[in-house]
Amino acid sequence: MPTCSHPPTARFRPMSNFDNTVVRRHTGSYKWDTPASDDVIPMWVADMDFRAPECVISALRRRVDHGVFGYTKVRPEFYEALTGWFSSRHGWNINTDRVIYTSGVVPAVSAIIKAITRPGDGVALLTPAYNCFYSSIRNNGCMLRSVPMIMTDHGYEIDFDALDATLSDRRTPLLILCNPQNPGGRVWTPDELQRVAETARRHSTFVISDEIHCELTFPGTAYTPYATVAADKSDRWAVCVSPSKAFNTAGLQIACIAASDDDAARRIDRAINDNEVCDVNPFGVEGLIAAYTPEGAQWLDELRVYLHDNFIRLSRFIESHPSLGWKLTPMEGTYLAWIDVRGSGADGDTVAHRLLHSARVMVSEGSDYGPGGENFIRINLACPRHTLEQALNRIETSLVQ
């Protein structure tokens, strides 16, 4: 199976044409049907405009042809696909006795918070961060403990002194880590993850690692599962994974939690049941099994190259239009560009509003991602190249002076 750090080689016949347009408007698409007008190009919410790999589509078609969609028993092939993929592709040997399946990574994170904390506890979070983390903390009656990241010329870095100080508070028993980081685009290195694990171990802190973007690293950059560095017996963690982002299958609603120990697995399983997110649909199961195959791996590696090329195109556009006052954060993974717009003289909310109403391009406001995001916008690059070019042409016509 191809490794995550290398692009596809010439001996492979391309499995997908990512330049193809798939009409999504008026199909019930949250991304495309949320804008009030059909002339808006949506580049906001994190799903892709590409068809899933044919191996996934074929597996779902076979399941549809069966015609009966009753309650689903997750069979051994599901666990074999999960463990085989992460072992061969990422060097992580998952203990299936400590795997809990659920309907998505957000329900997983919420259930883990419920399992580990009590109302009133603090939850540490490296900020800015994925917006749903904030609601998961709030909905469980917990308090946000923001640990602002440090922006450098190479992208975000973790402020380990601030992290250590935050976790030293016994009323903060939990840290949420996003690996790779959304919205900053960092793929944390083994050394960085090791320091996180050491800090958490020192303060007996439980770590949730959301690794939903783990497959979407750029060529030359490798993802490291948190579980492979937090290997001490005293380390307590739960890693959340799903094929949904990498294979564009979010609507199938499937995710897995891998827990560090039996006690954590029992507590999380109880919370999953308490939150009534313990059942999954047959399409999610079939989709995961089909995605985690050599065919899925080849398609994925081709996708990663295409996404990286989109990032390079955006980077060149920004460099060639200094009057915009935008600064693109270096990206190592995900398909979500994080852009500092302070040089434009406006904050992220204002720039996003201008893009929507003047350029007819919808992006995400950085303020959605909490402290430190106010002066940024987030742009989804997971679209055909001609869609990106159309959006950039609109931006150039409307905003470049």
Side-chain angles (χ1 to χ4, degrees):
M1 193 176 290
T3 62
C4 200
S5 58
H6 296 88
T9 59
R11 71 177 182 275
F12 289 122
R13 178 176 60 84
M15 301 189 70
S16 184
N17 184 354
F18 298 110
D19 286 327
N20 285 346
T21 297
V22 179
V23 177
R24 302 189 64 196
R25 188 170 275 121
H26 306 308
T27 63
S29 164
Y30 185 67
K31 178 180 182 179
W32 280 84
D33 291 336
T34 293
S37 175
D38 283 356
D39 69 340
V40 172
I41 300 175
M43 304 184 76
W44 62 300
V45 70
D47 72 7
M48 299 192 289
D49 291 331
F50 311 124
R51 283 170 59 89
E54 190 57 38
C55 57
V56 171
I57 296 171
S58 296
L60 299 180
R61 188 177 290 119
R62 288 192 297 272
R63 189 64 184 84
V64 168
D65 288 344
H66 181 263
V68 179
F69 312 114
Y71 297 117
T72 297
K73 181 178 178 61
V74 177
R75 63 189 194 277
E77 290 89 339
F78 177 90
Y79 297 100
E80 292 167 4
L82 175 74
T83 57
W85 177 272
F86 279 93
S87 175
S88 62
R89 194 169 174 90
H90 302 301
W92 176 22
N93 297 316
I94 300 175
N95 184 339
T96 57
D97 292 337
R98 297 171 184 162
V99 171
I100 304 106
Y101 57 79
T102 186
S103 57
V105 166
V106 172
V109 169
S110 183
I112 300 165
I113 295 173
K114 184 183 186 74
I116 302 302
T117 67
R118 296 179 179 179
D121 280 347
V123 175
L125 180 63
L126 306 179
T127 57
Y130 173 51
N131 53 301
C132 286
F133 291 154
Y134 299 101
S135 57
S136 292
I137 294 169
R138 183 174 60 251
N139 292 342
N140 280 284
C142 293
M143 306 297 293
L144 170 67
R145 298 290 181 252
S146 175
V147 183
M149 293 183 292
I150 302 169
M151 178 61 81
T152 73
D153 290 340
H154 305 290
Y156 283 114
E157 293 183 358
I158 299 171
D159 186 336
F160 283 99
D161 290 336
L163 180 63
D164 184 72
T166 301
L167 299 189
S168 67
D169 184 348
R170 293 185 178 274
R171 297 169 296 178
T172 302
L174 181 64
L175 165 67
I176 299 178
L177 179 70
C178 196
N179 173 40
Q181 209 274 337
N182 173 21
R186 274 300 315 279
V187 178
W188 302 119
T189 66
D191 287 345
E192 288 171 316
L193 293 173
Q194 183 64 55
R195 290 189 66 183
V196 171
E198 290 170 353
T199 306
R201 185 183 310 137
R202 186 160 55 248
H203 300 295
S204 301
T205 303
F206 195 100
V207 177
I208 301 174
S209 188
D210 172 0
E211 304 189 356
I212 195 171
H213 292 276
C214 67
E215 306 301 342
L216 298 171
T217 58
F218 287 165
T221 302
Y223 145 76
T224 302
Y226 181 77
T228 62
V229 299
D232 191 273
K233 290 183 178 180
S234 63
D235 292 333
R236 304 194 71 220
W237 45 260
V239 174
C240 305
V241 296
S242 171
S244 61
K245 284 290 182 283
F247 297 95
N248 206 24
T249 57
L252 301 185
Q253 296 189 321
I254 194 74
C256 294
I257 305 165
S260 58
D261 56 86
D262 293 340
D263 177 66
R266 283 192 296 268
R267 294 170 68 178
I268 294 167
D269 186 62
R270 179 69 265 162
I272 288 286
N273 282 269
D274 287 347
N275 284 4
E276 304 291 358
V277 286
C278 51
D279 292 318
V280 293
N281 73 70
F283 300 106
V285 173
E286 298 302 326
L288 182 146
I289 294 171
Y292 290 159
T293 59
E295 294 81 5
Q298 182 186 335
W299 180 93
L300 175 62
D301 285 336
E302 293 169 7
L303 169 72
R304 292 170 52 240
V305 172
Y306 193 90
L307 294 175
H308 183 252
D309 287 345
N310 273 359
F311 171 74
I312 294 300
R313 177 66 187 93
L314 175 64
S315 177
R316 289 173 177 167
F317 173 82
I318 292 175
E319 289 175 359
S320 64
H321 294 87
S323 64
L324 276 173
W326 293 5
K327 183 178 181 181
L328 181 60
T329 301
M331 281 180 68
E332 298 169 336
T334 82
Y335 49 72
L336 304 164
W338 188 237
I339 302 172
D340 185 337
V341 297
R342 282 175 290 185
S344 70
D347 61 16
D349 288 11
T350 301
V351 171
H353 183 271
R354 289 175 182 168
L355 287 171
L356 179 60
H357 293 280
S358 297
R360 313 304 287 162
V361 175
M362 186 176 182
V363 303
S364 296
E365 301 167 350
S367 59
D368 289 345
Y369 306 96
E374 301 85 356
N375 294 308
F376 290 79
I377 58 172
R378 194 188 76 168
I379 296 182
N380 182 344
L381 298 175
C383 60
R385 188 85 22 83
H386 59 81
T387 301
L388 175 60
E389 293 290 353
Q390 184 182 9
L392 296 180
N393 288 339
R394 290 186 180 189
I395 293 170
E396 182 177 47
T397 300
S398 301
L399 300 187
V400 174
Q401 299 176 355

